[in-house]
């Protein structure tokens, strides 16, 4: 029987949730507002929220100074490529851990997750030297592989969790009907885990899109994504806050739009298997 909740309690929790959501969204809102200010208004004290002279000048300057579409295309290729490659590697791995459990499955999963605790700068130097030796520094394909390996533990963990919610008897029935391993994964397991796979793809695409450490250190011109596009507006002469905000808004706009239209699928996938 559901527990009754008073109107006052429901209102308090709703107000708290909206307050937390606003505090989380406020930096993005402030960045967008600052992008429409002049440089003088951007550093004015006290700052004005909406009572300022709105201008599109910063966006015009950013477009003239930088090739935004090249940075955008690089981000799409790097984030999309690393995510799809990670999914292709992680689905068989998660299947094996979920349906062919071994003695050390949990230990392997914990070891994989522990690699995310290593500071990225700790492996920057060897990876940088490897890229130089292989001639793939400032190369999109190299970044696709590197970001895939960085996010692979999260992809495997998420898919493993979703796959564990699927009854193993269904796969056994498919084997009895003559399905081989490839057919079992492609035509039985994958369609049943579509919500979980979709949420994994979305989350890891966002992680790869926002990755700054590796993209800033392993690219210069040819493979530079939107993170490098934003960083280019930090100069030794100082920060141009209005132009930096315009560049940041242009960089986050595609991922915000993607997140907005896919939020239902993302929530559905993250809660996959939570209710029996």
């Amino acid at each position: 029987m559901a527990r009754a909740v008073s109107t006052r309690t429901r209102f308090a929790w709703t107000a708290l949730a909206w307050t937390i959501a606003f505090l989380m969204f406020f930096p993005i809102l402030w960045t967008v507002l600052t992008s429409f200010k002049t440089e003088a208004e951007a550093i004015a004290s006290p700052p004005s929220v909406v009572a300022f002279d709105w201008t599109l000048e910063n966006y015009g300057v950013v477009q003239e100074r930088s090739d935004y579409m090249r940075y955008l295309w690089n981000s799409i290729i790097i984030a999309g490529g690393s995510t799809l490659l990670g999914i292709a590697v992680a689905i068989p791995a998660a299947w094996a851990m979920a349906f062919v459990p071994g003695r050390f499955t949990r230990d392997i999963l914990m070891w994989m997750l522990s690699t995310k605790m290593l500071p990225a700068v700790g492996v920057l130097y060897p990876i940088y030297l490897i890229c130089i030796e292989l001639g793939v520094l400032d190369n999109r394909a190299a970044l696709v592989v590197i970001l895939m390996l960085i996010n692979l533990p999260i992809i495997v963990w998420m898919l493993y969790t979703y796959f564990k919610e699927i009854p193993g008897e269904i796969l056994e029935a498919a084997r009895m009907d003559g399905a081989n391993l490839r057919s079992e994964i492609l035509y039985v397991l994958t369609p049943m885990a579509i919500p979980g796979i979709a949420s994994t793809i979305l989350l890891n695409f966002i992680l790869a899109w926002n990755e700054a450490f590796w993209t800033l250190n392993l690219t210069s011109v040819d493979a530079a994504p939107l993170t490098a596009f934003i960083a280019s507006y930090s100069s030794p002469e100082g920060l141009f806050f209005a132009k930096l905000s315009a560049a940041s808004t242009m960089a986050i706009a595609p991922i915000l739009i993607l997140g907005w239209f896919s939020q239902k699928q993302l929530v559905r996938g993250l809660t996959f298997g939570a209710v029996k």
Side-chain angles (χ1 to χ4, degrees), residues 22-85:
F22 177 76
L23 291 175
M24 295 175 65
F25 182 71
F26 182 76
I28 298 176
L29 175 62
W30 190 254
T31 299
V32 174
L33 291 175
T34 304
S35 69
F36 293 101
K37 298 179 179 180
T38 64
E39 291 294 347
E41 290 172 327
I43 60 175
S45 182
S48 56
V49 181
V50 293
F52 57 86
D53 295 328
W54 293 65
T55 178
L56 294 173
E57 177 186 358
N58 298 311
Y59 290 94
V61 172
V62 169
Q63 289 279 21
E64 292 176 0
R65 173 178 167 179
S66 306
D67 186 358
Y68 171 74
M69 293 307 298
R70 177 173 62 84
Y71 290 102
L72 176 63
W73 182 241
N74 285 340
S75 286
I76 293 173
I77 292 177
I78 293 170
S82 63
T83 300
L84 294 178
L85 182 60

Side-chain angles (χ1 to χ4, degrees), residues 34-262:
T34 304
S35 69
F36 293 101
K37 298 179 179 180
T38 64
E39 291 294 347
E41 290 172 327
I43 60 175
S45 182
S48 56
V49 181
V50 293
F52 57 86
D53 295 328
W54 293 65
T55 178
L56 294 173
E57 177 186 358
N58 298 311
Y59 290 94
V61 172
V62 169
Q63 289 279 21
E64 292 176 0
R65 173 178 167 179
S66 306
D67 186 358
Y68 171 74
M69 293 307 298
R70 177 173 62 84
Y71 290 102
L72 176 63
W73 182 241
N74 285 340
S75 286
I76 293 173
I77 292 177
I78 293 170
S82 63
T83 300
L84 294 178
L85 182 60
I87 288 292
V89 174
I91 286 180
W95 170 87
M97 293 180 180
F99 299 108
V100 192
R103 180 180 176 184
F104 301 105
T105 297
R106 282 286 179 179
D107 295 333
I108 294 173
L109 285 168
M110 289 303 300
W111 172 78
M112 291 179 63
L113 194 61
S114 69
T115 61
K116 295 294 294 180
M117 304 175 189
L118 175 69
V121 69
V123 292
L124 171 62
Y125 189 61
I127 291 180
Y128 187 85
L129 291 180
I130 290 173
C131 289
I132 292 178
E133 288 295 325
L134 296 178
V136 293
L137 193 64
D138 195 21
N139 182 276
R140 289 183 299 200
L143 275 176
V144 165
V145 174
I146 290 171
L147 293 188
M148 182 275 290
L149 294 174
I150 290 172
N151 291 326
L152 189 60
I154 296 178
I155 302 176
V156 172
W157 257 99
M158 292 182 67
L159 292 180
Y160 169 79
T161 303
Y162 299 137
F163 289 173
K164 288 291 289 184
E165 299 295 332
I166 298 175
E169 292 79 6
I170 297 178
L171 300 183
E172 292 178 3
R175 294 188 203 112
M176 293 178 64
D177 288 338
N180 57 24
L181 180 58
R182 177 176 174 274
S183 299
E184 177 184 332
I185 294 177
L186 286 181
Y187 303 118
V188 181
L189 178 66
T190 301
M192 295 182 64
I194 283 295
I197 294 174
S199 65
T200 303
I201 289 174
L202 289 170
L203 182 60
N204 283 274
F205 184 86
I206 293 171
L207 291 174
W209 185 279
N210 293 329
E211 176 60 47
F213 180 82
W214 293 104
T215 54
L216 290 177
N217 284 286
L218 299 180
T219 65
S220 55
V221 179
D222 295 335
L226 286 171
T227 48
F229 169 71
I230 297 174
S232 67
Y233 285 87
S234 174
S235 65
E237 292 78 14
L239 287 173
F240 298 95
F241 288 104
K243 296 177 181 60
L244 178 61
S245 297
S248 299
T249 301
M250 294 171 67
I252 66 176
I255 206 69
L256 281 178
I257 295 172
L258 174 65
W260 177 265
F261 283 104
S262 60

